[in-house]
Amino acid sequence: MFPNLLHPRGYMGALALFALLAVPFALQSPFAFHLAVLVCVFGALATAWNIVGGFAGQLSLGHAVFYGIGSYAATLLVINFGITPWLGMFAGAVISAMAAIVIAYPTLRLRGPFFALATIAFLEVCRLLTVHEESWTGGSAGLNVPLNIGLQWMVFREKWAYLLIAFGFLLVTLWAAWLIRRSRFGFYLIAVREREDAARAVGVNAVKVKIGAAVISAVLTSLIGSFHAMYLTFIDPSAAFSLELSVQIAMFALIGGLGSVAGPLAGTVLVLPIAELARGWLSSFGSGTHGFVYGVVLVLVVLFIPRGLVGHLGGFVLRFIDRLPGARTPPPAPAKSIAPADALPLGTPLLVAEHLKKRFGGLVATDDVSLTLHAGEILGVIGPNGAGKTTVFNQLSGFIRPNEGIVKIRLADGTWAEPRTPDAFAKDGVGRTFQIAQPFAGLSVLENIMLGAFMHTGVRVEAESIARDVAQMTDLTSLLDTEARSLTVGGMKRLEVARALATRPRALLLDEVMAGLNPADIARAINMVRRIRDSGVAVLMIEHMMQATMALSDRIIVINAGRMLKEGKPSDVVNDPEVIQAYLGKGYLDAQAA
């Protein structure tokens, strides 16, 4: 639950954080205290934004709406009801959470710039509503916070008191971000950010996790907004619901390193003091200087360190810290088994497709296809290019809904389920790979496999243990600490299999796992598939490598023009005249006869 302060990473991080307190107390300057308060506030805001913008990859440019809700909620409760902001901030947080759900549910289904524009629109609507409801919000003139001095009202004469509270909010926000990043929820957010389809294939409900991230981020932003209103002692719509504020906190996260825990704070510490000092030194001649500083730093970062400070320098820092005494931790013990605990007896019908039909406009891609995968077998699906194999495959894993027919899978208790979505298929015991490998490039090989393991456990140590055992079966043990983007094609294909296998499926669907591999990798892949079958997992594979398909498959199904052409043992199928004609054309048979 909490970072290990006895580990070098823990105590070095704590020392860096408490330097934010030590410097202003050493200088004993009101401006130093003010600057430290701003760093804590904007560092916390950027960290909260990073949960949505960095971890989940959703560019929210209207995030100040939650800051404004928190500011106005706490201030209005103080003015109208005399309620302490310590309670008022939680009222604002509840309102912000509800607003986040209302905003996120329709908008998080959007992608790219459309989501960013939608968040800006919500921000502008809230600003205009605040301006026009003048009777209780003060309109464009704003509101003054009552100057009731004391801890109860969060108003003090000394700057250092504000700094202690701001630092507390920063610690809470960093702890929340650290906890999320190390949890199953955090892994799911990163998976959705990088490859949403691949995330759904390991049981991730993309919409739910993105809404969860939006709610957590909104609550933290609202709490910080309430405190900042008390610190400023004045709020108005143009500042509370400010597009500039949203862009500013997003920029701090981008400069520091999106998706990292320390990145947003690092970006704030780098840029904010320079901008504030420049504005203070230049006084009236420096109007807008802080914006110029932000722009210059942002351009330099994008040009020279596009992954941010932490993305480029974090590895060097961590390698240095990990050389300190006490940094090494033993790996977890291997899991006992990666096979499904509820494996069915051999030969039991496991995955059944009945009369599948799929039309894309006037094209009939699947025309009355029925098949059955039995427990403990390898079923090969072959056919010429454009035959409809991939369409059938996607229907068997929930990525395409058939127009007619059903797909059902037998559960451990013997009942049949008819899942409708990819994540539901995964949870019911169907794992799959993709024809074009889809690794989560920003994660290590170990973390990629852990994403699959998290479907059955929320404990990080247990997920890591399962991942290590899966890596051994898929020949990835020596590559566990390697970034997925650095793997060869063969390594990426095996990683896809490992990630699906870590979900402990009863049926594993392999989509051309040998395509593009060299002979050595093909031999390794054949042995891997056999080990998987021997572990108790049924395999359905689409493959164009005919020698491998014939060597591995217990049965083969041939699909041509969207229809079932032949089903039987490999030796029967390969010599069938209709199959030869489908692959090589009628002219080949005529030539043989001649």
Side-chain angles (χ1 to χ4, degrees):
M1 290 293 290
F2 292 95
N4 181 10
L5 295 180
L6 298 179
H7 190 278
R9 292 190 183 187
Y11 63 71
M12 292 297 287
L15 287 174
L17 273 176
F18 280 95
L20 290 174
L21 287 179
V23 171
F25 275 101
L27 296 176
Q28 286 296 313
S29 164
F31 179 75
F33 280 113
H34 170 71
L35 192 57
V37 170
L38 289 183
V39 168
C40 290
V41 167
F42 282 91
L45 288 172
T47 302
W49 180 90
N50 190 51
I51 295 172
V52 168
F55 293 165
Q58 306 298 310
L59 183 60
S60 173
L61 294 182
H63 217 66
V65 67
F66 307 118
Y67 171 92
I69 290 173
S71 300
Y72 270 90
T75 302
L76 288 171
L77 288 174
V78 170
I79 293 174
N80 296 320
F81 302 101
I83 296 177
T84 171
W86 293 105
L87 296 178
M89 67 169 57
F90 290 104
V94 171
I95 298 171
S96 292
M98 293 188 293
I101 294 173
V102 171
I103 294 171
Y105 187 76
T107 59
L108 282 174
R109 298 169 189 269
L110 301 173
R111 299 188 181 218
F114 302 104
F115 172 74
L117 292 173
T119 60
I120 293 173
F122 276 107
L123 176 65
E124 185 63 13
V125 167
C126 290
R127 188 189 69 81
L128 292 175
L129 285 174
T130 307
V131 170
H132 288 292
E133 293 296 328
E134 188 174 351
S135 59
W136 59 282
T137 64
S140 57
L143 294 171
N144 288 304
V145 175
L147 297 179
N148 301 321
I149 307 298
L151 180 62
Q152 178 183 356
W153 306 107
M154 212 183 290
V155 178
F156 309 96
R157 290 189 176 88
E158 300 84 4
K159 294 284 187 182
W160 61 263
Y162 286 111
L163 176 57
L164 293 179
I165 297 175
F167 186 73
F169 278 111
L170 176 63
L171 289 181
V172 169
T173 310
L174 286 171
W175 172 77
W178 176 85
L179 195 62
I180 288 171
R181 178 60 184 85
R182 290 182 55 84
S183 69
R184 173 169 59 182
F185 179 61
F187 273 76
Y188 282 180
L189 287 176
I190 294 173
V192 169
R193 177 192 72 193
E194 298 223 351
R195 296 185 185 273
E196 191 166 318
D197 282 345
R200 295 163 70 199
V202 292
V204 179
N205 187 316
V207 174
K208 283 185 178 179
V209 298
K210 286 192 283 189
I211 290 176
V215 170
I216 294 171
S217 180
V219 167
L220 293 172
T221 303
S222 180
L223 293 173
I224 300 159
S226 298
F227 162 74
H228 201 211
M230 299 302 109
Y231 177 69
L232 297 175
T233 68
F234 175 77
I235 57 172
D236 69 275
S238 62
F241 298 99
S242 167
L243 176 60
E244 180 185 354
L245 175 62
S246 297
V247 173
Q248 190 175 2
I249 60 179
M251 185 188 60
F252 289 150
L254 176 63
I255 291 171
L258 288 176
S260 61
V261 176
L265 180 59
T268 307
V269 170
L270 171 68
V271 180
L272 187 64
I274 298 174
E276 291 298 317
L277 288 169
R279 182 158 53 178
W281 288 333
L282 296 175
S283 187
S284 60
F285 296 101
S287 179
T289 303
H290 64 296
F292 174 76
V293 172
Y294 294 156
V296 169
V297 175
L298 184 60
V299 168
L300 292 175
V301 167
V302 170
L303 289 176
F304 298 107
I305 49 172
R307 294 170 60 193
L309 293 173
V310 172
H312 281 262
L313 303 178
F316 298 105
V317 175
L318 289 179
R319 282 194 290 273
F320 169 76
I321 293 175
D322 287 343
R323 293 193 187 101
L324 299 175
R328 292 176 178 256
T329 54
K336 293 182 180 178
S337 174
I338 59 172
D342 48 7
L344 298 170
L346 297 180
T348 304
L350 180 61
L351 180 64
V352 176
E354 297 177 351
H355 308 294
L356 297 182
K357 290 187 178 181
K358 182 62 184 179
R359 293 180 292 273
F360 297 101
L363 173 66
V364 180
T366 306
D367 189 4
D368 196 26
V369 172
S370 299
L371 60 85
T372 300
L373 175 66
H374 300 90
E377 78 167 341
I378 298 177
L379 175 62
V381 179
I382 64 173
N385 288 329
K389 304 185 299 298
T390 299
T391 303
V392 172
F393 194 90
N394 286 331
Q395 291 173 87
L396 294 176
S397 55
F399 281 83
I400 293 178
R401 293 281 298 277
N403 298 117
E404 298 178 29
I406 61 171
V407 178
K408 57 184 181 180
I409 182 167
R410 189 188 294 270
L411 303 179
D413 59 4
T415 61
W416 291 91
E418 296 181 18
R420 298 300 183 93
T421 60
D423 55 290
F425 269 87
K427 290 173 182 175
D428 285 338
V430 178
R432 70 157 291 175
T433 66
F434 293 86
Q435 186 175 359
I436 299 174
Q438 296 192 23
F440 302 114
L443 299 178
S444 67
V445 170
L446 176 64
E447 290 174 324
N448 267 267
I449 305 174
M450 287 171 64
L451 266 165
F454 272 126
M455 194 171 79
H456 293 294
T457 179
V459 182
R460 181 187 175 94
V461 174
E462 187 176 344
E464 185 176 340
S465 176
I466 294 171
R468 290 181 182 277
D469 206 31
V470 172
Q472 187 173 359
M473 175 174 282
T474 52
D475 296 326
L476 290 169
T477 301
S478 61
L479 301 171
L480 285 176
D481 295 326
T482 305
E483 276 197 342
R485 60 167 57 92
S486 304
L487 295 178
T488 63
V489 174
M492 287 188 181
K493 294 279 189 178
R494 296 200 306 278
L495 177 58
E496 283 239 315
V497 175
R499 191 177 62 210
L501 198 60
T503 65
R504 298 192 175 187
R506 287 186 291 275
L508 179 62
L509 313 184
L510 303 179
D511 193 356
E512 297 191 27
V513 293
M514 301 179 199
L517 303 188
N518 58 45
D521 278 334
I522 290 174
R524 180 182 288 180
I526 290 173
N527 292 330
M528 176 184 68
V529 173
R530 284 176 175 153
R531 288 196 298 268
I532 291 170
R533 191 266 308 273
D534 294 341
S535 73
V537 180
V539 177
L540 184 150
M541 56 185 292
I542 293 176
E543 191 55 66
H544 283 298
M545 301 293 298
M546 294 303 296
Q547 290 181 336
T549 304
M550 296 300 160
L552 286 169
S553 301
D554 300 306
R555 284 190 301 128
I556 287 181
I557 291 174
V558 184
I559 296 177
N560 187 39
R563 299 182 64 88
M564 294 273 292
L565 181 62
K566 184 73 176 178
E567 178 180 358
K569 293 182 178 180
S571 57
D572 297 333
V573 169
V574 74
N575 295 314
D576 188 272
E578 291 184 350
V579 176
I580 296 173
Q581 179 177 329
Y583 268 97
L584 301 177
K586 187 175 184 299
Y588 178 80
L589 292 178
D590 293 341
Q592 275 193 324

mmCIF file of all heavy atoms in Angstrom, residues 234-257:
data_model
loop_
_atom_site.group_PDB
_atom_site.id
_atom_site.type_symbol
_atom_site.label_atom_id
_atom_site.label_comp_id
_atom_site.label_asym_id
_atom_site.label_seq_id
_atom_site.Cartn_x
_atom_site.Cartn_y
_atom_site.Cartn_z
ATOM 1 N N PHE A 234 -9.696 34.590 -3.373
ATOM 2 C CA PHE A 234 -10.580 35.187 -4.380
ATOM 3 C C PHE A 234 -10.700 34.219 -5.556
ATOM 4 O O PHE A 234 -9.717 33.605 -5.965
ATOM 5 C CB PHE A 234 -10.010 36.521 -4.888
ATOM 6 C CG PHE A 234 -10.812 37.132 -6.002
ATOM 7 C CD1 PHE A 234 -12.004 37.793 -5.737
ATOM 8 C CD2 PHE A 234 -10.393 37.020 -7.318
ATOM 9 C CE1 PHE A 234 -12.766 38.327 -6.761
ATOM 10 C CE2 PHE A 234 -11.137 37.561 -8.354
ATOM 11 C CZ PHE A 234 -12.333 38.221 -8.076
ATOM 12 N N ILE A 235 -11.922 34.084 -6.064
ATOM 13 C CA ILE A 235 -12.130 33.246 -7.248
ATOM 14 C C ILE A 235 -13.040 33.976 -8.230
ATOM 15 O O ILE A 235 -13.886 34.780 -7.829
ATOM 16 C CB ILE A 235 -12.757 31.879 -6.904
ATOM 17 C CG1 ILE A 235 -14.092 32.057 -6.155
ATOM 18 C CG2 ILE A 235 -11.808 31.016 -6.113
ATOM 19 C CD1 ILE A 235 -14.845 30.763 -5.958
ATOM 20 N N ASP A 236 -12.839 33.711 -9.506
ATOM 21 C CA ASP A 236 -13.728 34.241 -10.537
ATOM 22 C C ASP A 236 -13.788 33.226 -11.672
ATOM 23 O O ASP A 236 -12.882 32.392 -11.814
ATOM 24 C CB ASP A 236 -13.243 35.598 -11.041
ATOM 25 C CG ASP A 236 -11.963 35.499 -11.829
ATOM 26 O OD1 ASP A 236 -10.867 35.494 -11.208
ATOM 27 O OD2 ASP A 236 -12.033 35.416 -13.064
ATOM 28 N N PRO A 237 -14.848 33.259 -12.497
ATOM 29 C CA PRO A 237 -15.026 32.220 -13.524
ATOM 30 C C PRO A 237 -13.872 32.121 -14.512
ATOM 31 O O PRO A 237 -13.491 31.019 -14.922
ATOM 32 C CB PRO A 237 -16.317 32.650 -14.220
ATOM 33 C CG PRO A 237 -17.036 33.490 -13.226
ATOM 34 C CD PRO A 237 -15.979 34.187 -12.443
ATOM 35 N N SER A 238 -13.318 33.248 -14.919
ATOM 36 C CA SER A 238 -12.265 33.209 -15.937
ATOM 37 C C SER A 238 -11.004 32.526 -15.438
ATOM 38 O O SER A 238 -10.236 31.958 -16.233
ATOM 39 C CB SER A 238 -11.936 34.630 -16.399
ATOM 40 O OG SER A 238 -11.449 35.402 -15.313
ATOM 41 N N ALA A 239 -10.752 32.551 -14.125
ATOM 42 C CA ALA A 239 -9.576 31.891 -13.565
ATOM 43 C C ALA A 239 -9.878 30.456 -13.132
ATOM 44 O O ALA A 239 -9.060 29.554 -13.312
ATOM 45 C CB ALA A 239 -9.036 32.687 -12.385
ATOM 46 N N ALA A 240 -11.081 30.252 -12.546
ATOM 47 C CA ALA A 240 -11.425 28.923 -12.036
ATOM 48 C C ALA A 240 -11.700 27.936 -13.169
ATOM 49 O O ALA A 240 -11.309 26.765 -13.091
ATOM 50 C CB ALA A 240 -12.634 29.015 -11.116
ATOM 51 N N PHE A 241 -12.394 28.405 -14.213
ATOM 52 C CA PHE A 241 -12.695 27.548 -15.361
ATOM 53 C C PHE A 241 -11.868 28.021 -16.548
ATOM 54 O O PHE A 241 -12.390 28.466 -17.562
ATOM 55 C CB PHE A 241 -14.192 27.601 -15.672
ATOM 56 C CG PHE A 241 -15.053 27.101 -14.552
ATOM 57 C CD1 PHE A 241 -15.656 27.995 -13.678
ATOM 58 C CD2 PHE A 241 -15.264 25.747 -14.355
ATOM 59 C CE1 PHE A 241 -16.456 27.548 -12.638
ATOM 60 C CE2 PHE A 241 -16.060 25.281 -13.317
ATOM 61 C CZ PHE A 241 -16.657 26.190 -12.450
ATOM 62 N N SER A 242 -10.563 27.890 -16.405
ATOM 63 C CA SER A 242 -9.631 28.492 -17.362
ATOM 64 C C SER A 242 -9.035 27.435 -18.282
ATOM 65 O O SER A 242 -8.467 26.429 -17.827
ATOM 66 C CB SER A 242 -8.508 29.206 -16.603
ATOM 67 O OG SER A 242 -7.446 29.534 -17.461
ATOM 68 N N LEU A 243 -9.149 27.661 -19.586
ATOM 69 C CA LEU A 243 -8.480 26.793 -20.548
ATOM 70 C C LEU A 243 -6.964 26.878 -20.382
ATOM 71 O O LEU A 243 -6.257 25.879 -20.526
ATOM 72 C CB LEU A 243 -8.887 27.185 -21.967
ATOM 73 C CG LEU A 243 -8.197 26.424 -23.106
ATOM 74 C CD1 LEU A 243 -8.470 24.926 -23.017
ATOM 75 C CD2 LEU A 243 -8.635 26.972 -24.455
ATOM 76 N N GLU A 244 -6.471 28.058 -20.049
ATOM 77 C CA GLU A 244 -5.032 28.231 -19.847
ATOM 78 C C GLU A 244 -4.523 27.335 -18.724
ATOM 79 O O GLU A 244 -3.451 26.732 -18.832
ATOM 80 C CB GLU A 244 -4.712 29.688 -19.520
ATOM 81 C CG GLU A 244 -3.226 29.948 -19.301
ATOM 82 C CD GLU A 244 -2.945 31.381 -18.866
ATOM 83 O OE1 GLU A 244 -3.884 32.195 -18.851
ATOM 84 O OE2 GLU A 244 -1.779 31.657 -18.533
ATOM 85 N N LEU A 245 -5.317 27.211 -17.644
ATOM 86 C CA LEU A 245 -4.911 26.350 -16.539
ATOM 87 C C LEU A 245 -4.854 24.892 -16.991
ATOM 88 O O LEU A 245 -3.909 24.163 -16.651
ATOM 89 C CB LEU A 245 -5.894 26.505 -15.374
ATOM 90 C CG LEU A 245 -5.682 25.577 -14.179
ATOM 91 C CD1 LEU A 245 -4.317 25.817 -13.534
ATOM 92 C CD2 LEU A 245 -6.801 25.741 -13.158
ATOM 93 N N SER A 246 -5.847 24.459 -17.761
ATOM 94 C CA SER A 246 -5.865 23.073 -18.247
ATOM 95 C C SER A 246 -4.638 22.784 -19.097
ATOM 96 O O SER A 246 -3.987 21.741 -18.960
ATOM 97 C CB SER A 246 -7.134 22.830 -19.067
ATOM 98 O OG SER A 246 -8.289 22.976 -18.283
ATOM 99 N N VAL A 247 -4.316 23.708 -20.011
ATOM 100 C CA VAL A 247 -3.157 23.514 -20.876
ATOM 101 C C VAL A 247 -1.874 23.537 -20.066
ATOM 102 O O VAL A 247 -0.931 22.773 -20.324
ATOM 103 C CB VAL A 247 -3.137 24.597 -21.970
ATOM 104 C CG1 VAL A 247 -1.852 24.528 -22.785
ATOM 105 C CG2 VAL A 247 -4.353 24.461 -22.879
ATOM 106 N N GLN A 248 -1.843 24.386 -19.059
ATOM 107 C CA GLN A 248 -0.628 24.536 -18.242
ATOM 108 C C GLN A 248 -0.297 23.243 -17.497
ATOM 109 O O GLN A 248 0.849 22.779 -17.524
ATOM 110 C CB GLN A 248 -0.837 25.682 -17.246
ATOM 111 C CG GLN A 248 0.416 26.090 -16.500
ATOM 112 C CD GLN A 248 0.161 27.303 -15.614
ATOM 113 O OE1 GLN A 248 -0.962 27.811 -15.527
ATOM 114 N NE2 GLN A 248 1.187 27.768 -14.942
ATOM 115 N N ILE A 249 -1.287 22.639 -16.844
ATOM 116 C CA ILE A 249 -0.998 21.427 -16.083
ATOM 117 C C ILE A 249 -0.701 20.255 -17.024
ATOM 118 O O ILE A 249 0.134 19.388 -16.708
ATOM 119 C CB ILE A 249 -2.140 21.086 -15.103
ATOM 120 C CG1 ILE A 249 -3.468 20.861 -15.832
ATOM 121 C CG2 ILE A 249 -2.282 22.169 -14.051
ATOM 122 C CD1 ILE A 249 -4.617 20.491 -14.918
ATOM 123 N N ALA A 250 -1.356 20.226 -18.197
ATOM 124 C CA ALA A 250 -1.029 19.182 -19.173
ATOM 125 C C ALA A 250 0.401 19.344 -19.675
ATOM 126 O O ALA A 250 1.120 18.360 -19.889
ATOM 127 C CB ALA A 250 -2.023 19.230 -20.331
ATOM 128 N N MET A 251 0.825 20.597 -19.847
ATOM 129 C CA MET A 251 2.169 20.868 -20.340
ATOM 130 C C MET A 251 3.222 20.449 -19.323
ATOM 131 O O MET A 251 4.270 19.897 -19.683
ATOM 132 C CB MET A 251 2.303 22.353 -20.661
ATOM 133 C CG MET A 251 3.623 22.720 -21.292
ATOM 134 S SD MET A 251 3.773 24.491 -21.415
ATOM 135 C CE MET A 251 3.658 24.954 -19.706
ATOM 136 N N PHE A 252 2.969 20.681 -18.033
ATOM 137 C CA PHE A 252 3.920 20.240 -17.004
ATOM 138 C C PHE A 252 4.109 18.728 -17.064
ATOM 139 O O PHE A 252 5.232 18.220 -16.955
ATOM 140 C CB PHE A 252 3.424 20.655 -15.618
ATOM 141 C CG PHE A 252 3.495 22.129 -15.350
ATOM 142 C CD1 PHE A 252 2.588 22.725 -14.495
ATOM 143 C CD2 PHE A 252 4.453 22.924 -15.949
ATOM 144 C CE1 PHE A 252 2.647 24.101 -14.233
ATOM 145 C CE2 PHE A 252 4.515 24.288 -15.704
ATOM 146 C CZ PHE A 252 3.604 24.873 -14.847
ATOM 147 N N ALA A 253 2.985 17.991 -17.232
ATOM 148 C CA ALA A 253 3.083 16.532 -17.315
ATOM 149 C C ALA A 253 3.835 16.102 -18.563
ATOM 150 O O ALA A 253 4.651 15.175 -18.522
ATOM 151 C CB ALA A 253 1.681 15.921 -17.295
ATOM 152 N N LEU A 254 3.594 16.777 -19.673
ATOM 153 C CA LEU A 254 4.276 16.439 -20.920
ATOM 154 C C LEU A 254 5.775 16.694 -20.823
ATOM 155 O O LEU A 254 6.594 15.873 -21.245
ATOM 156 C CB LEU A 254 3.683 17.256 -22.069
ATOM 157 C CG LEU A 254 4.338 17.088 -23.445
ATOM 158 C CD1 LEU A 254 4.183 15.652 -23.931
ATOM 159 C CD2 LEU A 254 3.726 18.053 -24.458
ATOM 160 N N ILE A 255 6.162 17.814 -20.235
ATOM 161 C CA ILE A 255 7.579 18.144 -20.101
ATOM 162 C C ILE A 255 8.273 17.164 -19.169
ATOM 163 O O ILE A 255 9.394 16.713 -19.423
ATOM 164 C CB ILE A 255 7.743 19.592 -19.592
ATOM 165 C CG1 ILE A 255 7.301 20.586 -20.685
ATOM 166 C CG2 ILE A 255 9.185 19.871 -19.175
ATOM 167 C CD1 ILE A 255 7.220 22.014 -20.210
ATOM 168 N N GLY A 256 7.602 16.807 -18.086
ATOM 169 C CA GLY A 256 8.219 15.887 -17.128
ATOM 170 C C GLY A 256 8.236 14.449 -17.592
ATOM 171 O O GLY A 256 9.150 13.695 -17.254
ATOM 172 N N GLY A 257 7.216 14.046 -18.350
ATOM 173 C CA GLY A 257 7.141 12.656 -18.811
ATOM 174 C C GLY A 257 5.773 12.074 -18.579
ATOM 175 O O GLY A 257 5.424 11.747 -17.437
#
